[in-house]
Amino acid sequence: MNETSVTPLPKATLDTCGGKAATLGRLLREGLPVPEGFVVPFSAHRAARVDPGLRAPAELEHEVAEALTLLGDPPVAVRSSATNEDGAGASAAGQYESLLAVQGVAAVVEAIRDCWTSASSARVAAYRSRTGEETSRAEPEMGVLVQRLVDADVSGVMFTPTRPDGPTRIEASPGLGLAVVGGIVSPDTYEVAADGTLRSALGHKETRLDRDENRGGVVTRPVPEHQRSAPSLDESTAARLAALGHRVAELLYGPQDIEWAIADGTTWLLQARPITAPIPEAPASGPAPDNSSLNGTPGSHGVVTGTARVVRGPSDFGRVRAGDILVCPYTDPACGALSHAAIVAREYNLPAVIGVPHATTLVRDGATVTLDGTAGTLTPH
């Protein structure tokens, strides 16, 4: 095997391909439902660094072409698997590049390069510094995971119990899971208790993401009206997901943050990583204790009072100052207690509330507000 050889997913290891790929390889070897694929290992990233443009060596392009042919050249997901990603101490959730519905050798090779490039981004450098990683050394090495894309009917995230008697927390929405982990929708939430009882709350599922069959990539579509108020999962499906989550946690020796998708009745595991910070309890149903408060979903523990800064797009971030409380329609990543941004907020010990209906219109820019990330409330003063 030469230094740039692609690695079949079942043979991926932590020291050659990164935690994300190695974990999926382990689950695949155990017979769990993981989409087939391959990994471009760390060594290929090292070889590409020799070129100032970070272009893939010709030999790697040839091997990627062969590997795609073996898969049948389907649309694929191309995702990072870096050295500091999906660890027990820090998740790096959403920090690196991921591209969905990529098809064809040239497009896949370019997507691999995009993943490599994201290792040197300012966002990654800031995350490494904030989580205490030594940043004086070289940027993280990057493995790249290429898997058959699951054209999901419904997908989402699941947190397995962090204590023996704790519940499994599931978030779900129609379409590809990027809508949930990227905060594009406020998903349906489910808690499956240790005794099997189910508690659920419907989210605001106005849009969904799907593969664009005509142009490739991902397209945003409206969720049909009758589906917006319908649960994404029935009780038996939620129970099956929870049971699958328990199996994954047993195999990986601890509570797991799992991304999953369901297509044509088949459940697929797309990612599993250790839970790095505790998630606040889901709010009980019922009226708000304070009528002046806006209700959302607890995202990250803590209470803070500050100036509300309503941010509707990247151009608004220039107005944000230290200590401000961001009020966003969504960020990349953002909404959903199990979304990437909520996970990072918990790792940073920053209070967060997500899924507050109409927050950007009900909260005045510049107003003083109190955010309670444990209760899931935002209170203007």
Side-chain angles (χ1 to χ4, degrees):
M1 178 181 292
N2 64 60
E3 66 174 352
T4 62
S5 294
V6 301
T7 302
L9 182 54
K11 296 183 178 180
T13 63
L14 179 64
D15 59 344
T16 63
C17 298
K20 183 185 296 181
T23 296
L24 289 175
R26 165 80 188 281
L27 297 179
L28 198 53
R29 292 193 299 272
E30 294 287 345
L32 271 67
V34 174
E36 59 184 338
F38 60 91
V39 189
V40 179
F42 295 154
S43 55
H45 185 206
R46 289 195 294 266
R49 283 175 175 168
V50 176
D51 185 293
L54 207 63
R55 286 186 290 269
E59 187 169 354
L60 177 62
E61 292 192 27
H62 177 70
E63 294 198 15
V64 167
E66 289 187 337
L68 289 171
T69 298
L70 288 175
L71 289 178
D73 196 25
V76 294
V78 181
R79 299 186 292 151
S80 63
S81 183
T83 49
N84 68 335
E85 194 172 8
D86 290 1
S91 67
Q95 302 304 304
Y96 298 102
E97 192 65 76
S98 291
L99 299 102
L100 302 182
V102 183
Q103 190 164 17
V105 176
V108 170
V109 170
E110 184 62 24
I112 291 168
R113 182 178 175 277
D114 288 343
C115 289
W116 287 340
T117 301
S118 68
S120 58
S121 70
R123 179 172 64 184
V124 167
Y127 179 85
R128 294 174 67 198
S129 176
R130 187 69 182 256
T131 54
E133 184 180 345
E134 176 56 59
T135 55
S136 61
R137 64 187 185 190
E139 67 190 38
E141 291 191 302
M142 177 68 72
V144 180
L145 179 62
V146 181
Q147 289 177 282
R148 182 185 298 275
L149 182 76
V150 176
D151 278 323
D153 299 314
V154 61
S155 55
V157 184
M158 166 169 52
F159 269 35
T160 67
T162 55
R163 62 180 192 274
D165 62 341
T168 297
R169 179 76 175 270
I170 301 171
E171 292 187 347
S173 191
L176 296 173
L178 182 61
V180 176
V181 301
I184 296 169
V185 298
S186 294
D188 297 340
T189 61
Y190 303 83
E191 282 195 351
V192 183
D195 63 2
T197 58
L198 177 70
R199 184 168 69 140
S200 63
L202 297 183
H204 307 284
K205 310 180 295 292
E206 295 184 359
T207 61
R208 59 180 287 163
L209 298 180
D210 294 289
R211 176 170 62 90
D212 188 331
E213 297 179 359
N214 297 319
R215 295 180 295 180
V218 173
V219 63
T220 301
R221 296 189 174 108
V223 173
E225 194 69 36
H226 70 279
Q227 290 184 0
R228 296 181 184 183
S229 58
S232 300
L233 303 174
D234 58 30
E235 187 170 345
S236 63
T237 302
R240 287 197 301 271
L241 274 171
L244 184 59
H246 279 281
R247 173 63 174 150
V248 172
E250 289 174 358
L251 287 171
L252 301 180
Y253 308 109
Q256 297 292 307
D257 164 3
I258 299 168
E259 294 182 22
W260 55 269
I262 298 174
D264 297 325
T266 299
T267 301
W268 297 94
L269 297 171
L270 307 181
Q271 184 168 333
R273 59 182 165 216
I275 295 175
T276 55
I279 180 173
E281 295 290 333
S285 59
D290 180 352
N291 290 334
S292 66
S293 296
L294 305 178
N295 283 335
T297 299
S300 180
H301 287 289
V303 179
V304 63
T305 298
T307 300
R309 194 60 65 206
V310 178
V311 174
R312 293 186 172 85
S315 63
D316 289 335
F317 277 97
R319 300 186 294 107
V320 178
R321 300 292 180 265
D324 286 351
I325 295 176
L326 292 181
V327 181
C328 311
Y330 64 87
T331 62
D332 187 11
C335 302
L338 310 188
S339 73
H340 287 158
I343 294 167
V344 172
R346 292 193 288 272
E347 292 176 350
Y348 284 4
N349 293 316
L350 295 175
V353 178
I354 43 77
V356 180
H358 312 297
T360 56
T361 56
L362 294 176
V363 177
R364 178 176 57 84
D365 185 75
T368 299
V369 297
T370 295
L371 183 152
D372 188 332
T374 303
T377 59
L378 185 66
T379 307
H381 295 278

